[in-house]
Structure formats: C-alpha cells, structure tokens
Amino acid sequence: MHSVNIKEFENRICYRFKDKKHLIIALSHSSYVNEKRLDKLECNERTEFLGDSILNSIISENLFKNHTDFSEGDMTRVRANVVCENSLLLCANKINLGKYLLLGKGEEITGGRSRVSILADGFEAVIGAIYLDGGYENARNFVLKIMEDIISKYIIGNVKLDYKTELQEIVQKKCDDKVLYEVINEMGPDHDKVFISQVKVKNKVVGVGEGKTKKEAEQNAAKIAINNL
C-alpha cells in the first residue's frame, strides 16, 4: 500500500526508525490518506504540529546556550527566520523530501512534490516522527545537522546587522522621533582605522559604539542604545 523506499530515506536523514509507522505517517499527506480512505489521523498533520513545537524548542535551546550575549529580541528574531517556511523548504530539499512524500494523485498532478507548504510541513513532520521514535536527543541531532548552515547564516546576517532596525522600532513605539547617527572620532592609520559613532534620540546621546567601518560602529552604538533604553 505504501510506495516509499523507507531504507533509502533513512539513509538520507541518517536515522533508523525502530517503528516505521512513525515515518510512514510523517510522509503521508492528507490527500493520500483521503484517496486511500485511511483514518484521517494517519496523515502527517498531527506529527507536523508536534514537530513544529520540537523544532522551536531545539532552536531556542541552541540560541540560549550558545549565544549568551543575545537578548530576547535577538533570539526571537533569529528563531523566526530559522523556522520560517522558506528555511524549512531549504531543509526539505536537502533531504530530497519531495521524492518520498505519499501524495494523492490530484496533488501529485498539480505539483505537490515541489509545493513549498507541503515540503515545509513535511519536514516538520519528519522531526516529529524522529522525536516520537527516538526521543528529543535524536530529534535535536537531526535538526542541528540539517539546519547548521541556516542557523549560522541568520546569526551572522540577521542579528549582528540588524540592531539599527530594532532600535528604530523601539523609538517609533515610544516617541516616534528620529534616530540620528554621527561619527565622533576616527583612530588609527588608514589601513587599520577604528570609527567611533554615537546615536541620538531627541538630541540625547543614547549609545556610543566603535567598529572597523562606519556601519559597524553605528550597529554597535545601536546595540548599546537598545540595552540602555
């Protein structure tokens, strides 16, 4: 009844299921279950729901333990990007999930194997299935291995470069005033210069930061301002 190569998929995700039914359910889209007139609880929606919670827990724990300098806002922003649909799609494609999904004929014909929502939900269902079969530790190992590059990308590219945006949002909520940056000092030779920038709100200095570039100095000033505010 189930036309999926379980062993091949297990090799892809580097995990062997003790109870294969957990995996079958994780791969079973509602269109397949409806077409085969199976119990509606045999589709992957419940397992996807569980996987979503486990994924958020794993990413939250990882950020909390490994990035002790991150504020709640930093961790929230990174987590939101890591667990978003586009990121989950990248992960699903890494394990070629679309090939192994069990879909109804109609869903198959209309391109279900490459549909973003189906792949993203399916990836979370696989996380849920691993958790059910092997516990939190196995689920965490799977998630962190598959998502390592994505986590690093958003830690470097989102948190470290987005303090100015966060500060602007805070100021707009409080007083809707302008945030002004200015370089107040430059030190060192041209090839190894350090810039000192300050940020003002309502003509009051709320943060001072330094960096190898003016932009970096402004970001560090904004980070300090956020802590001060």
Side-chain angles (χ1 to χ4, degrees), residues 105-117:
K105 291 179 181 178
E107 196 65 62
E108 178 96 48
I109 292 170
T110 57
R113 291 194 186 278
S114 59
R115 186 163 293 133
V116 175
S117 60

Side-chain angles (χ1 to χ4, degrees), residues 7-8 33 39 52 55 64 75-76 85-86 90 95 108 112 125 127 129 145 150 159 171 178 197 203 208 229:
K7 187 174 181 180
E8 183 178 284
V33 170
D39 187 322
D52 176 71
L55 173 61
F64 183 84
M75 293 188 290
T76 299
E85 196 170 62
N86 285 337
L90 291 174
I95 59 176
E108 178 96 48
I127 295 171
K145 180 179 179 181
I150 293 172
V159 169
V171 171
K178 289 184 178 180
S197 291
N203 209 34
V208 178
L229 292 174

Side-chain angles (χ1 to χ4, degrees), residues 29 31 89 93 97-99 101-120:
H29 187 256
S31 61
L89 172 64
N93 288 335
L97 181 60
K99 175 182 176 181
L101 290 174
L102 294 165
L103 303 176
K105 291 179 181 178
E107 196 65 62
E108 178 96 48
I109 292 170
T110 57
R113 291 194 186 278
S114 59
R115 186 163 293 133
V116 175
S117 60
I118 290 178
L119 289 170

Side-chain angles (χ1 to χ4, degrees), residues 25-191:
I25 290 176
L27 297 175
S28 297
H29 187 256
S30 56
S31 61
Y32 175 85
V33 170
N34 292 335
E35 184 179 282
K36 297 295 182 181
R37 296 183 179 180
L38 302 173
D39 187 322
K40 65 180 182 179
L41 296 181
E42 291 191 49
C43 79
N44 66 6
E45 291 174 355
R46 279 171 50 84
T47 310
E48 179 263 323
F49 171 84
L50 177 64
D52 176 71
S53 297
I54 299 300
L55 173 61
N56 275 275
S57 176
I58 290 168
I59 300 302
S60 297
E61 177 189 43
N62 179 263
L63 293 173
F64 183 84
K65 288 184 175 180
N66 296 324
H67 302 281
T68 55
D69 59 322
F70 283 6
S71 67
E72 180 190 6
D74 294 335
M75 293 188 290
T76 299
R77 184 166 54 252
V78 173
R79 185 182 63 188
N81 281 291
V82 170
V83 303
C84 76
E85 196 170 62
N86 285 337
S87 295
L88 298 179
L89 172 64
L90 291 174
C91 295
N93 288 335
K94 273 188 178 183
I95 59 176
N96 200 15
L97 181 60
K99 175 182 176 181
Y100 302 95
L101 290 174
L102 294 165
L103 303 176
K105 291 179 181 178
E107 196 65 62
E108 178 96 48
I109 292 170
T110 57
R113 291 194 186 278
S114 59
R115 186 163 293 133
V116 175
S117 60
I118 290 178
L119 289 170
D121 290 349
F123 181 73
E124 289 185 322
V126 170
I127 295 171
I130 294 173
Y131 171 78
L132 289 170
D133 189 75
Y136 185 80
E137 190 69 24
N138 281 304
R140 180 172 61 185
N141 290 341
F142 169 71
V143 166
L144 295 182
K145 180 179 179 181
I146 295 294
M147 305 194 85
E148 180 180 13
D149 293 344
I150 293 172
I151 295 170
S152 296
K153 169 188 172 182
Y154 284 113
I155 285 171
I156 295 170
N158 190 279
V159 169
K160 297 300 185 185
L161 300 180
D162 202 33
Y163 292 114
K164 289 177 70 175
T165 299
E166 185 176 350
L167 176 60
Q168 185 67 51
E169 291 172 354
I170 292 171
V171 171
Q172 285 178 343
K173 288 179 181 178
K174 288 188 172 184
C175 59
D176 197 26
D177 207 342
K178 289 184 178 180
V179 178
L180 300 175
Y181 294 88
E182 57 183 359
V183 176
I184 57 175
N185 198 7
E186 297 179 17
M187 301 179 293
D190 289 341
H191 68 279

